């Protein structure tokens, strides 16, 4: 993937609530769509979902990130109560491979069969160790999402 010049990198982190609980199949479809669209736009980041809660980090060219947040993410009918936690320039990408994580439910759809799917629970549990180069604020948000969700079997996928 061609990334924007370092001077133009921008990162935005937000949380939101799903308008309804999403099934494994819906989450798998979301993963495929996001991977395709983000790659085309030069966006990387992380999307976590657990029982109706989202935490997302997007990074790329400032103009692209601001447009995506304003024109797509804030208007997406799958979620509401969007709260921007962090936004600003960054010197490098924190998540160079776009990834998505969520807790698998007892359905027949198995998202772990999608290409690049990994079980990376420990990284979310201890972001200080797993992601030492992240900002203190971003590591705190990852740790808080993990703790508040009571996660015990979170699945993350990486492209």
């Amino acid at each position: 993937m061609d990334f924007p010049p370092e001077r133009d990198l921008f990162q935005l982190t937000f949380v939101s609530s799903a308008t309804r609980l999403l099934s494994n199949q819906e989450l798998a479809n979301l993963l495929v769509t996001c991977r395709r669209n983000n790659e085309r736009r030069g966006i990387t980041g992380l999307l976590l979902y657990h029982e109706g809660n989202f935490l997302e980090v997007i990074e790329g060219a400032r103009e692209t990130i601001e447009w995506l947040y304003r024109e797509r993410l804030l208007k997406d009918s799958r979620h509401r109560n969007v709260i921007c936690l962090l936004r600003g320039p960054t010197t490098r990408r924190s998540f160079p491979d776009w990834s998505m994580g969520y807790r698998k439910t007892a359905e027949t759809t198995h998202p772990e069969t999608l290409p690049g799917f990994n079980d990376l629970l420990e990284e979310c549990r201890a972001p200080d160790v797993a992601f030492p180069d992240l900002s203190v604020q971003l590591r705190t948000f990852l740790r808080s999402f993990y703790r508040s969700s009571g996660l015990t079997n979170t699945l993350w996928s990486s492209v």
Side-chain angles (χ1 to χ4, degrees), residues 3 7 27 31 43 67 75 83 85 90-91 96 124 132 151 153-154 158:
F3 295 132
R7 70 188 187 297
L27 290 167
L31 170 63
I43 295 171
W67 172 86
K75 296 177 182 180
I83 301 170
L85 302 172
T90 185
T91 57
C124 191
L151 300 175
N153 188 21
T154 301
S158 301

Side-chain angles (χ1 to χ4, degrees), residues 92 126-136 139:
R92 62 182 163 59
D128 296 352
V129 174
F131 307 111
D133 296 330
L134 294 184
S135 70
V136 171
R139 286 192 316 243

